Amino acid sequence: MELFPSSPKKYDVFVSYKGGDTQINFINNLNSALTQAGIKIYIDSALTEAANISGWYTRSNKNQSQVIEKMVGDVLEMLELRFPKELKSKDLSEKHFRSLKKVSVEGCTSLKEFALSSDKMESLELKNAGIEQLHSSIGLSSNLRYLNLEGLRFQNVPNELSSLTSLVELRISDCKELVLEKQKLQALFDGLRSLRLLHLKDCSNLLELPENISVLSKLCELRLDGSGVETLPESIKHLSLLEILSLENCLNLRQLPELPTTIKELTAANCKSLVTVPTLKTLATMMTGREKFVSFENCTKLDGSSLCRIAEGAELSSMNAAFQNVFVRSKGASGASCHNYNFVKVCSPGSRVPEQFTYRSRESSFKVKIPSHSNILGMVLSVLISPSEGIKNHGARIFCQCYDADGRKVGYATRWFHEATKDLKGDHVFVWYDALHFDSIVKSLKEQEIIFEFFVANELGERDVLNVLPKECGVRLIFDSELHNLLRNLQLDFESKWELGLRLGSELGLELGSELRLELESQQHRAI
């Protein structure tokens, strides 16, 4: 529904009809309903014959009025009001609607001030409009759930924004002139406690987040890409539903605090000032039905301790994923509905495949002997890649394919990530655990020896274009005998560790033993 034409008008709706009393009654009731909805109507009774409105006529004008009023309200609720790009501020003139739910002024570059509101508005799209000021009336849209302020030219967020207590999604991105002070954000967070998604991307004047970010207890996604933040508040670890944290191109970011255990995706690519990363073992805590993706691509200033913590986090996450997938396979075999498989993908600067990998080679293809009488739960793969012009120009996808001694494929090829890697700044280590790849190998494995071949292809999957070979490759087998080691390292309390151990022991036919129980109890006492 488009209200304002390119040339300004005094009315929002133009109605023409020709007919007798029935049409007049209908038009009068329609006029009344539209007026109550805040829409200005112009009626021309002599231009065209009224549309056929059979089915709406009733003998009672009062009933007809109620039907029409409800009809107008229902139509307005279903429509998304889109304005033409030529829209100007004077065309809105502080309009307030009663029933309108969706409004979009996307791309209206001539619109300098926005002053439209609605009692029932749930979605407001202001992306790339020329808005320099948000009117205080925005606070009247108390039912608003989605607000997009991307690409606006305004300098300040109105205080009334904190009145939008129903807001679930707030997108503020690429607002070059916007100043987001810590105190302003603190007041904003206090009011917007229903937020599940918060984007503050490419806001170079955003330097710091307040500690009260922890009040956003429903927040699932936080994207600060391209902002000016130097660190994150310690209280971020209390966001117990946060799954996505994106910090890509945060050039001033120097350190990270402890992060929530619920994180599924942590992207900190191109954070060239980042030096310190905390333990990432916390990210291994919650693995059921999750894919863990962690990228520190081109974070070239990370210190040695942080690189070790990243490797340890990748190791523990992969191990826990493999053990948790025991439950997935068990439920699948019984025909019951089961969780999705757990996957792990990690990227960081580095000069060697992590030392935890039992099999390492400078060759891109090598044999791995599977120990007899062993219960393997998974395989973790790793590759060391150097930058090259071919990768920069064509992108790189990293694959692994297994073969038997006769050269026949065993299982399907697995890749590190679905997106191609391009502009690497120095050597990088890629680590991944693919449960489905492991299953495909186990199903077709007939020998105790497997050949692992790692290769790099372009974005289209073509191997011969780049002529790039990995500098080092690694394979790490995960065995059921590592259960005790897993329980020792998981960042869980004693009761949770012991319960998990008993469940896994029951599935795998393993006993935990009293010594392990005493060790885990002692571990918890030391932590307290």
Side-chain angles (χ1 to χ4, degrees):
M1 176 180 178
E2 187 172 296
L3 281 192
F4 296 95
S6 57
S7 58
K9 301 285 185 181
K10 295 181 180 180
Y11 304 99
D12 304 328
V13 174
F14 183 86
V15 177
S16 64
Y17 77 98
K18 184 178 180 180
D21 293 340
T22 299
Q23 287 85 353
I24 293 174
N25 289 334
F26 176 82
I27 293 300
N28 287 340
N29 291 328
L30 179 62
N31 181 25
S32 176
L34 289 171
T35 301
Q36 289 182 32
I39 298 176
K40 295 180 182 180
I41 179 173
Y42 178 83
I43 301 174
D44 186 333
S45 60
L47 289 181
T48 59
E49 184 174 353
N52 183 359
I53 55 171
S54 59
W56 291 103
Y57 174 73
T58 63
R59 293 183 179 179
S60 168
N61 291 338
K62 180 179 180 180
N63 290 340
Q64 188 185 69
S65 173
Q66 292 173 345
V67 169
I68 294 174
E69 184 176 348
K70 183 180 186 303
M71 179 180 68
V72 170
D74 290 344
V75 169
L76 287 173
E77 287 185 7
M78 290 186 293
L79 291 177
E80 178 177 358
L81 187 60
R82 292 182 177 272
F83 292 90
K85 294 184 178 181
E86 297 82 2
L87 180 72
K88 296 182 179 180
S89 301
K90 63 181 180 179
D91 295 329
L92 286 179
S93 62
E94 299 185 28
K95 284 187 173 293
H96 183 77
F97 295 92
R98 293 178 56 193
S99 303
L100 200 60
K101 283 194 173 184
K102 296 182 180 181
V103 175
S104 174
V105 295
E106 181 177 353
C108 297
T109 54
S110 298
L111 183 65
K112 303 301 180 185
E113 181 180 6
F114 185 83
L116 184 149
S117 59
S118 170
D119 294 335
K120 295 186 178 181
M121 184 157 59
E122 295 181 357
S123 173
L124 180 54
E125 179 67 70
L126 306 181
K127 183 178 179 180
N128 294 329
I131 296 173
E132 298 175 356
Q133 182 179 351
L134 280 176
H135 196 271
S136 59
S137 61
I138 193 171
L140 299 176
S141 299
S142 57
N143 291 309
L144 195 64
R145 295 175 57 84
Y146 171 88
L147 177 59
N148 191 344
L149 306 177
E150 294 179 3
L152 301 192
R153 304 171 188 174
F154 64 146
Q155 296 182 355
N156 296 292
V157 174
N159 296 329
E160 289 77 12
L161 209 63
S162 61
S163 300
L164 304 177
T165 55
S166 299
L167 199 63
V168 173
E169 252 183 73
L170 175 59
R171 298 172 184 263
I172 302 178
S173 303
D174 197 26
C175 299
K176 305 298 185 184
E177 301 177 24
L178 178 62
V179 178
L180 286 170
E181 297 178 347
K182 184 178 179 181
Q183 295 79 4
K184 174 75 74 171
L185 285 174
Q186 185 170 344
L188 199 63
F189 291 168
D190 275 335
L192 304 183
R193 301 192 181 206
S194 297
L195 277 182
R196 296 179 186 172
L197 179 149
L198 175 60
H199 288 189
L200 299 172
K201 298 166 56 179
D202 298 313
C203 297
S204 55
N205 293 320
L206 171 61
L207 305 178
E208 188 177 6
L209 294 178
E211 283 289 338
N212 78 326
I213 193 173
S214 57
V215 303
L216 303 181
S217 58
K218 299 179 181 179
L219 195 64
C220 299
E221 179 175 327
L222 176 60
R223 295 189 182 272
L224 303 172
D225 310 273
S227 68
V229 293
E230 296 183 2
T231 186
L232 299 179
E234 295 288 337
S235 60
I236 197 171
K237 66 182 179 182
H238 299 304
L239 296 178
S240 59
L241 296 181
L242 188 65
E243 295 187 341
I244 297 175
L245 176 59
S246 187
L247 305 164
E248 192 168 348
N249 296 314
C250 289
L251 304 182
N252 299 325
L253 185 66
R254 299 182 60 82
Q255 61 182 22
L256 290 179
E258 182 181 341
L259 299 174
T261 60
T262 50
I263 292 289
K264 294 168 58 176
E265 177 184 323
L266 171 60
T267 307
N270 304 316
C271 295
K272 65 179 185 179
S273 300
L274 186 61
V275 176
T276 306
V277 171
T279 177
L280 295 185
K281 288 184 177 181
T282 53
L283 303 189
T285 304
M286 300 182 65
M287 283 302 305
T288 306
R290 292 173 181 266
E291 177 176 320
K292 296 285 184 178
F293 175 81
V294 177
S295 175
F296 289 98
E297 183 179 316
N298 294 333
C299 297
T300 54
K301 287 191 176 181
L302 283 170
D303 59 29
S305 298
S306 295
L307 292 175
C308 287
R309 294 188 196 105
I310 294 171
E312 290 169 355
E315 159 83 356
L316 190 59
S317 293
S318 299
M319 190 186 302
N320 195 22
F323 273 93
Q324 293 287 346
N325 283 334
V326 170
F327 299 131
V328 177
R329 295 187 185 96
S330 175
K331 291 181 180 179
S334 65
S337 61
C338 59
H339 295 287
N340 293 328
Y341 264 134
N342 305 286
F343 297 84
V344 178
K345 298 169 184 177
V346 180
C347 167
S348 68
S351 57
R352 292 293 307 273
V353 166
E355 61 182 11
Q356 296 91 341
F357 282 73
T358 313
Y359 302 92
R360 290 188 291 180
S361 174
R362 294 287 183 180
E363 301 295 328
S364 60
S365 179
F366 57 91
K367 295 179 181 179
V368 172
K369 187 174 183 179
I370 307 300
S372 57
H373 308 295
S374 62
N375 193 356
I376 301 177
L377 301 183
M379 298 174 177
V380 190
L381 310 174
S382 182
V383 171
L384 177 66
I385 299 290
S386 294
S388 71
E389 282 300 314
I391 292 177
K392 185 175 181 180
N393 295 331
H394 302 286
R397 295 180 186 272
I398 304 167
F399 290 86
C400 178
Q401 176 68 66
C402 292
Y403 300 88
D404 62 19
D406 295 324
R408 292 187 294 266
K409 288 183 179 180
V410 178
Y412 66 80
T414 177
R415 60 186 178 186
W416 178 76
F417 191 50
H418 63 273
E419 292 184 2
T421 299
K422 287 192 174 181
D423 193 16
L424 291 178
K425 309 293 185 185
D427 290 356
H428 279 70
V429 177
F430 298 85
V431 175
W432 75 103
Y433 161 72
D434 183 343
L436 295 176
H437 171 251
F438 171 72
D439 281 0
S440 72
I441 291 176
V442 171
K443 289 178 181 178
S444 54
L445 183 62
K446 298 179 180 179
E447 303 176 8
Q448 293 299 118
E449 199 170 68
I450 306 175
I451 299 172
F452 285 80
E453 182 190 18
F454 295 86
F455 60 92
V456 182
N458 65 1
E459 283 189 291
L460 300 177
E462 300 167 329
R463 300 179 58 173
D464 300 330
V465 175
L466 298 182
N467 194 27
V468 173
L469 293 175
K471 290 183 69 174
E472 188 179 20
C473 307
V475 176
R476 196 272 202 231
L477 305 180
I478 299 175
F479 299 97
D480 61 355
S481 57
E482 298 180 77
L483 175 58
H484 289 194
N485 190 38
L486 171 69
L487 297 175
R488 291 186 187 100
N489 285 281
L490 283 178
Q491 307 291 295
L492 292 170
D493 57 51
F494 166 74
E495 288 78 12
S496 299
K497 284 185 179 182
W498 192 250
E499 180 184 355
L500 175 61
L502 290 175
R503 291 176 60 211
L504 284 169
S506 175
E507 290 286 346
L508 298 170
L510 300 174
E511 293 185 4
L512 299 185
S514 58
E515 290 184 4
L516 178 63
R517 182 183 180 92
L518 290 173
E519 181 183 345
L520 297 180
E521 286 179 332
S522 176
Q523 188 182 62
Q524 173 149 320
H525 291 319
R526 289 196 302 270
I528 296 174

